[in-house]
Amino acid sequence: MLSSSDFASASWELVIQVDHPNEEEQKDVTLRVSGDLHIGGVMLKLVEQINIAQDWSDFALWWEQKHCWLLKTHWTLDKCGVQADAKLLFTPQHKMLRLRLPNMKTVRLRVSFSAVVFRAVSDICRALNIRRAEEVSLLKPSGEYFKKKKRKEKNNKEPIIEDILSLECSPTNSGPPVSPGLYSRTMTPTYDPINGTPVSSTMTWFSDSPLTEQNCSILAFSQPPQSPEALADMYQPRSLVDKAKLNAGWLDSSRSLMEQGIQEDEQLLLRFKYYTFFDLNPKYDAVRINQLYEQARWAILLEETDCTEEEMLIFAALQYHISKLSLSTEIQDFTNESEVDEVEAALSNLEVTLEGGKADNTLEDITDIPKLADNLRLFRTKKLILKAFKQYWFVFKDTSIAYFKNKELEQGEPVEKLNLRGCEVVPDVNVAGRKFGIKLLIPVADGMNEVYLRCDHESQYAQWMAACILASKGKTMADSSYQPEVLNILSFLRMKNRNSASQVASGLENMDMNPECFVSPRCAKKHKSKQLAARILEAHQNVAQMPLVEAKLQFIQAWQSLPEFGLTYYLVRFKGSKKDDILGVSYNRLIRIDAATGIPITTWRFTNMKQWNVNWEIRQVAIEFDQNVSIAFTCLSADCKVVHEYIGGYIFLSTRSKDQNETLDEDLFHKLTGGQE
């Protein structure tokens, strides 16, 4: 028998706060425990002492001082390092969170605060029916994001009542975690590929989900455009440094929401973080395509992605067209949809997948190395020389361009050979002015060489531009993506080609449009409302016959063709440099940009990267490339872990294959993005 003194030395008192869901105040419960008691035993004793009949299965212990969850229930208190002075909170792992989606709608749903963000986002996307959750993440908005909104409230105007879509019965709050990326085509609700509505026979698939028919409509359809006043009141980045501030708040995918200081019912932004949109399919991705379109739309309207005035009018025309179709009662009337058997739909799609593309020219594609040869005009930047283009005979083969004084000298030595692998390709086009130019920024040891090519017409430009884009990624014209790239470029050029013979819009159609809703505030200030409406309607003639989903996909493709697309900016200080620079992170490269001028200084491709790591003591990211090139920088506008995760995340996404049922390797993601070797 133990004496009372022996018992006292072997055990000690542990105070645990209990977060009762139905009570406002947290209550303290004192337990007598010993160091060899496991965490599960502590929770069992705690529930017995509380003596309230309810489901405690979602509750777990949170250690406030260490800022971590005690989820390994078989570990003892001694192994966890818990002593009498520990402040423990017994709280639900799943809590309510408000998420502002790309379409500016806010959804409120129950999310795991104990799972790592990568897994929590996967559960959120499953609840919202968004495939490819690995492209999506959570962003904590900066102070600037709500700055103008607060200023408006100070002016004693009526407060804005936020319209929140509640998905409280979300499936994210129970059930075993499903591997992210595990989607079967027959499990995913099928949508009409023309207008994006769920095929009515598949509506039963939403029955166990909070995503009812009405909610699906809210997420899969474009919302009415914001008023010009509301648009002007939103935060707009004015410089690359401002854009860098917007990207500081990405949450760490390898840690939980609670570990990152996120509070219950806090508002976060759900955004597409990685700009590699894999396998966009109108049949299964109505919500994903719409949210992606909305993110692209706001990036254009708030000038987060720069574009020319001509391109702004194309985007405005597509927005106007999508807005008109989305408001049409015919599209939103689910009851008129024809019944489609889901198994038939799945088999039909499988048949198409197995058949693949046309195989007529397969042998020819394998044996022939495609080549482009034509007269183009060239200009190289030199100091004190005016821009004068000179004609040469150009030959494009593999990933290189060689040019000669004329066609007859093609078999001899070229004037110069340009290797385009790793270069920047920027369109320099004005369709109305018949200008079809390609700007090439070719990386060299001490920076970037600028080369300008000028084509004669649309067809020539589309072929050469597509070849340059592929070559910059290390691909040749033999690649299957070459012809689709040519067609995409031609399609975008046709939209830019305003038809002067097009009919003048009627006064009635003119009146139902508020043109300032579809362009950035800065663009709206340059033109009178009637003039802007006429130009948008003129551009609209080229897209007026497009179905809804095709118009959204066209908008996304046009966004992807912009030079600044997919670049995420951070303010950094490179090792050995005396001034701050901007680092642009893209899906396949890093770009060092002059913070004052916005001009790219040099580019490094991920394909040439040998290794990268973080020195956590001095918060410095170090990267080593081929040919003994190495760089190191400290991040000033965000934590270095954010930049490190971006680089590792893009490399992880490049490992995906086209198998729809592929289970993503979450361990590989954390290995590439965690920074802990």
Side-chain angles (χ1 to χ4, degrees), residues 193-197 217 220-225 290 293 317-333 509 512 518 540 543-553:
I194 304 300
N195 59 34
T197 57
S217 162
F221 283 99
S222 181
Q223 299 303 301
N290 184 60
Y293 156 71
L318 281 166
Q319 283 179 74
Y320 173 59
H321 183 62
I322 290 164
S323 177
K324 279 180 70 177
L325 290 181
S326 298
L327 292 170
S328 162
T329 51
E330 293 173 7
I331 286 172
Q332 297 207 20
D333 185 7
E509 191 175 9
D512 94 324
F518 303 110
H540 179 248
V543 299
Q545 303 307 313
M546 272 189 195
L548 179 59
V549 175
E550 189 186 328
K552 287 179 184 176
L553 288 170

Side-chain angles (χ1 to χ4, degrees), residues 53-80:
Q54 70 167 67
D55 183 2
W56 296 99
S57 61
D58 189 44
F59 278 64
L61 290 171
W62 166 256
W63 190 354
E64 288 190 14
Q65 295 108 315
K66 296 279 186 179
H67 225 61
C68 69
W69 288 93
L70 301 178
L71 297 175
K72 293 180 178 174
T73 52
H74 60 286
W75 279 26
T76 63
L77 292 173
D78 282 345
K79 189 172 183 179
C80 293

